[in-house]
Amino acid sequence: MSNYAIETQDLGRVYKIRGNKKERAIRKELVALEGVNLTVGRGELFGLLGPNGAGKTTLIKILTTLLAPTSGWARVAAHDVSQSPHLVRPRINMVSGGESSGYGLLTVRENLWMFSQFYGMNSKVANERIKELLKMVGLEDRIHTKSSDLSTGLRQKMNIVRGFLTDPEVLFLDEPTLGLDVGASRDVRKLIRGWLDANKSRTLLLTTHYMVEAEELCDRVAIINKGQVLACDTPANLKHKLQRDAIFEVETSPLNGWSPSTLEEQPEVRKAASRQIEGGSKLELILAEESALANVINVLTQKNIKVMRLTKREPTLEDVFMDLVGARMEDMEQGGEE
Amino acid sequence: MNRSETSRSFTMATWLGWQVESNWTDPFLFAIYVVIKPLATAAILVVMYSIITNGDYASPLFPYIYLGNAFYIYVGAVMTGVSWAVIDDREHYKTLKYMYIAPISIPFYWLGRGVSRFLIGTIAVVITVGVGALFFNLPLNLAQVNWGLFFVSLFVGVTMLAMIGLILASLTLMMAQQNFFVGEAVAGALYLFSGAIFPLEVLPAWIRPVGYAMPITYWLELMRRSLIGGVAQAFPTLAEFSNLQLLGILTGLTLLFGIVSVFTFRWCDHRARERGLIDHTTNY
């Protein structure tokens, strides 16, 4: 038996996009994944971190046998997802966040019980587990509520329970906390951690674009952008690579159209990005040498930009992402949906 | 795992299908809907027939048309019931991908989803035939019904319709858009050529082979013969065939459609995964 719960080798996926009626002859290609090589060990909580459109969902679709790759191969629970999907399916489950799937005419219990039966679970065991899991996510008082009467967030919780209910070898959670409030997200994160702690051989692959979630939960994280894996390591190791750098946050007066990326022309300024805050902007700087800060301040002064506050801080996964991609994930989110 | 994959796929899908079909309103309204719909269909048919033939209910054409239409209810119900499951799960409930990754047999799941419509269709057929016998002089004598032929033909015929439904469901899997009425469109198209509303002789000679190639034509003829015997043979369409020959043709064609449905499913499943259509939603 393979030591890996998930393995991919040169995995790629290209979508062929047909144009509208006038452009039918023109076929465009969209590279959603390219040369993805990953290994996820059994018992690991592995995170895929990337902005919308990075290829996270495409990768999950391939790994869950919903989509065929156009190049390379992938194995889940030691079985090839393309050649033996029927051997992969009994060993996995998946939940996608941000959607309100489920049979609205059925109650919460009926929805969950039905899926447990499709997985061949004993009915009595399934009912007990449904109660237990619903209690863990604070949904026990809605067990007999029709799922159409649940809010989007509560429906999402129900779906998350569906994923854990069958106790799969490998569980795929695609943006599980997307759209959930703070409390609900905390319940879900607790459920995830608790499930893995109770089942050391179980593996969980989680996609998220919430840095804090990845940092808090994941044993290892792969940063993915434009279909390519840019880095893969533990959150601590990823951040450690930046620890020789100095990371500063500079709150300034409005930039008035000036682009902070021009700061990267300065020696020892590795990355510079900005976002608007109330009354001005916040610059985030990754400097190879702390001394480069003086040059940055000079440039800002020349541009008549006032420095209101300067903070040096420890690197985060957001900094790692910015270092690898050259932009903050939040800014990239506006680029497009997957 | 306490049950086989095919068994649990079929039985749970049957349960789900019944919940979906019967729970959209309260039980009383549902019962009224189930009863009123076939009554209205029968009434429309009888009124139309009455106007065209000046109320000649004694003509063998009346039971021919009446029973053809009554049993044609199954065609729409079973074919659409099976293929609609794809659209319903993918577009409406957004659960198709979760069904797909579950360890179930997808074809048996779809067939199970069609059972509820078959049951509702059965109620409609029984009501329609009963009303015909009670109020419109349909020459139905329960003592003279060939029950053996009836049940065997019904079983083989419904299996045949389920196989066609499976082919449509597989094709629906591949269609990202405008797939909502595939089942109904096909049922509507077959209506003209299968001897449901008129004998095939009424059709131009060049188009009759379409009717002869379709198993529904033989099935409807068998249902008529099993219920009203000789009256059904008043039309020369299939008169030269014995009951056994008709049943043989129907069974052969059902097997053929069964084989075609397996290959169609495999091909469509493969293509849908290649093209990423399993969870592709459009504009429900």
Side-chain angles (χ1 to χ4, degrees), chain A residues 13 15 18 61 64-68 70 81-82 85-86 89-90 92-97 99-106 110-111 113-115 117-123 146 159 162, chain B residues 1-3 5 8-10 12-13 15-16 19-21 23-25 88-89 92-104 106 109 113 269-270 272-279:
Chain A
R13 172 69 206 190
Y15 287 102
R18 252 190 271 176
K61 280 186 188 178
T64 54
T65 76
L66 288 174
L67 181 69
T70 47
V81 294
S82 298
H86 59 289
R89 288 171 186 162
I92 64 166
N93 208 335
M94 175 188 62
V95 178
S96 296
E99 64 174 30
S100 51
S101 61
Y103 296 92
L105 293 160
L106 302 183
E110 287 169 338
N111 262 294
W113 174 80
M114 180 191 69
F115 274 99
Q117 298 310 290
F118 280 129
Y119 280 80
M121 284 179 79
N122 175 285
S123 184
K146 277 192 176 180
N159 278 317
R162 178 181 52 69
Chain B
M1 305 281 163
N2 51 3
R3 275 187 293 164
E5 191 176 285
R8 66 171 188 264
S9 306
F10 186 78
M12 284 315 298
W15 177 84
L16 172 63
Q19 298 298 321
V20 168
E21 290 298 329
N23 272 350
W24 54 270
T25 185
D88 222 15
D89 281 358
H92 187 189
Y93 299 114
K94 297 189 172 44
T95 49
L96 185 63
K97 61 181 172 183
Y98 300 122
M99 292 299 175
Y100 223 85
I101 64 162
I104 61 172
I106 290 290
Y109 169 76
R113 286 292 299 273
D269 172 63
H270 181 73
R273 287 178 65 210
E274 269 187 352
R275 292 168 58 187
L277 296 174
I278 306 289
D279 63 338

Side-chain angles (χ1 to χ4, degrees), chain B residues 38 66 70-71 73-74 120-132 150:
Chain B
Y66 195 88
F71 283 95
I73 291 170
Y74 277 127
I120 293 168
T122 300
I123 296 168
V125 171
V126 169
I127 290 171
T128 308
V129 174
V131 166
F150 175 81

Side-chain angles (χ1 to χ4, degrees), chain B residues 46-63:
Chain B
V46 169
V47 169
M48 283 168 62
Y49 177 85
S50 173
I51 291 167
I52 293 166
T53 64
N54 280 326
D56 182 10
Y57 294 111
S59 164
L61 188 61
F62 177 69

Side-chain angles (χ1 to χ4, degrees), chain A residues 270-287:
Chain A
R270 293 189 50 206
K271 298 286 173 195
S274 73
R275 66 187 147 111
Q276 282 198 328
I277 56 169
E278 200 179 332
S281 289
K282 185 185 260 187
L283 301 185
E284 291 182 5
L285 305 167
I286 301 176
L287 309 177

